[in-house]
Amino acid sequence: MNKIRKIHLPAISMAFTLAILFSATITLLRGNDTTGIFASVMQMLGFVVALQIINVFISRIRFRKYYQYYLSNFFIMYAFFISVAYVFHWFGFRLENIILNTIIFIFIFTFIQHHFYKLLKKEADEINALLDNKERQ
Amino acid sequence: MKLTINQSLDQEETEIIINYSVIDQRLQHLIDYIRQYSFSIQGILDNSVFQIPLEKIMYIDTADKKTFLYCTQKVYQAKETLSTLEKVLLKTPFVRISKSCIANSTYLKCVKPIANHHLEAMLKNGEKLIVSRSYIKDLKEKLKN
């Protein structure tokens, strides 16, 4: 499980992202994007990068509890997501579309947060084992 | 390993002599650990200068461009910068855990993950310190050694 989390998952994500980006770039440069889907891919890239920039600023705030960080991060990023989706017409702003895309956003956000939390928890467990070992000596 | 302890009232200063044929990792760790007890840092409190033994310092922190030595009972100001102290304390249980803090790993009780991809380290006296992501590896290495 640890190998999947540390190696395979990031590798798949990076490979998939790079493949889509190369594909989108080439299609756009050739002027072949008749459906506009590759332009949307580049918008999504810009959006994801912007989310990381927002995350950098949020990370500078000293939250006392993990859930405070999680919820603050979520609501700020969600507000940004909805705004961008509205401006770039990513989906029709009907109730069922908003609910569906909100569920997708919650899933992706939680998945990523959980992934990094698990990695950090493993580091903490290793350190605690070393501390316990030292204490016993 | 043979351990010989001699007490004498004529002895002015405690002296530890280690006789060995070949130095191995275990022996080197023992020497580094003992060295900590012979080493002290100058600390200032109420305009007086004190020699603070290393084993009394829980952690060293910086604030407003000043370096402070946090001991179990008191807090002293150090003359040296954090970077200087980090180099000086390289072979001791002290380890850099963030841009502004060096912790004495012998006072660490446990760690847990917190927000912003950091760890929170709890000391044996209940105080909490933040371990930045970039220093987690250094902390692990120090504890392994």
Side-chain angles (χ1 to χ4, degrees):
Chain A
M1 191 62 198
N2 197 42
K3 241 188 171 177
I4 293 172
R5 207 184 286 283
K6 266 193 163 175
I7 299 166
H8 303 303
L9 195 57
I12 291 168
S13 304
M14 284 191 282
F16 180 76
T17 304
L18 288 171
I20 294 285
L21 283 176
F22 272 119
S23 204
T25 307
I26 292 165
T27 305
L28 285 168
L29 286 172
R30 284 180 177 170
N32 290 345
D33 187 21
T34 50
T35 59
I37 194 154
F38 289 108
S40 300
V41 165
M42 297 313 258
Q43 283 172 11
M44 180 59 70
L45 172 66
F47 167 70
V48 168
V49 168
L51 279 185
Q52 282 307 303
I53 293 169
I54 291 169
N55 193 34
V56 164
F57 285 107
I58 293 171
S59 295
R60 287 183 184 184
I61 303 168
R62 276 263 183 108
F63 292 96
R64 281 189 190 165
K65 304 269 180 189
Y66 194 89
Y67 78 87
Q68 290 170 346
Y69 163 75
Y70 179 90
L71 287 174
S72 303
N73 214 0
F74 173 79
F75 284 115
I76 292 169
M77 288 194 177
Y78 180 71
F80 183 68
F81 161 66
I82 285 294
S83 312
V84 168
Y86 182 75
V87 167
F88 288 101
H89 310 291
W90 282 354
F91 51 84
F93 262 63
R94 294 186 300 279
L95 186 63
E96 63 264 29
N97 285 344
I98 293 170
I99 291 171
L100 177 65
N101 283 282
T102 300
I103 290 169
I104 293 169
F105 181 87
I106 290 170
F107 176 80
I108 294 171
F109 181 85
T110 306
F111 181 85
I112 292 171
Q113 291 293 324
H114 183 73
H115 166 78
F116 285 109
Y117 177 82
K118 278 294 191 186
L119 284 177
L120 199 58
K121 179 86 174 51
K122 190 169 185 302
E123 307 257 41
D125 289 343
E126 282 173 19
I127 290 170
N128 285 332
L130 288 167
L131 287 168
D132 284 341
N133 207 28
K134 266 191 121 181
E135 199 62 36
R136 266 184 253 120
Q137 283 172 2
Chain B
M1 194 185 288
K2 198 166 66 173
L3 179 64
T4 308
I5 300 170
N6 295 318
Q7 192 207 348
S8 168
L9 293 170
D10 298 328
Q11 199 74 26
E12 284 178 10
E13 190 189 353
T14 304
E15 187 181 14
I16 298 173
I17 298 168
I18 297 176
N19 300 313
Y20 64 91
S21 58
V22 175
I23 193 162
D24 60 11
Q25 209 177 26
R26 275 183 74 195
L27 187 56
Q28 187 59 55
H29 291 160
L30 183 62
I31 293 168
D32 290 341
Y33 195 74
I34 292 169
R35 194 170 276 147
Q36 169 187 213
Y37 282 84
S38 63
F39 192 42
S40 60
I41 298 176
Q42 261 190 8
I44 302 163
L45 180 65
D46 298 330
N47 297 316
S48 301
V49 178
F50 298 86
Q51 292 294 334
I52 320 295
L54 274 193
E55 70 274 13
K56 298 279 186 208
I57 303 171
M58 294 191 298
Y59 62 96
I60 303 167
D61 201 71
T62 55
D64 297 328
K65 294 182 184 177
K66 292 175 189 168
T67 310
F68 297 95
L69 311 171
Y70 287 80
C71 301
T72 46
Q73 305 289 335
K74 293 175 184 172
V75 180
Y76 301 85
Q77 189 179 338
K79 289 181 189 173
E80 298 88 350
T81 62
L82 202 72
S83 309
T84 308
L85 288 172
E86 189 187 4
K87 286 179 195 141
V88 159
L89 299 170
L90 207 58
K91 290 206 163 211
T92 68
F94 282 79
V95 60
R96 188 91 174 246
I97 58 168
S98 70
K99 268 190 198 169
S100 61
C101 187
I102 297 173
N104 185 344
S105 61
T106 56
Y107 279 92
L108 287 179
K109 188 179 177 185
C110 63
V111 297
K112 68 172 187 182
I114 55 165
N116 312 352
H117 311 291
H118 295 329
L119 292 178
E120 182 181 80
M122 186 184 279
L123 302 182
K124 287 174 181 170
N125 69 339
E127 273 191 69
K128 291 173 185 174
L129 301 174
I130 303 293
V131 183
S132 296
R133 182 102 187 90
S134 23
Y135 293 97
I136 290 174
K137 194 181 170 191
D138 292 339
L139 176 58
K140 266 200 249 179
E141 285 304 313
K142 183 63 71 166
L143 292 173
K144 278 178 190 167
N145 293 331

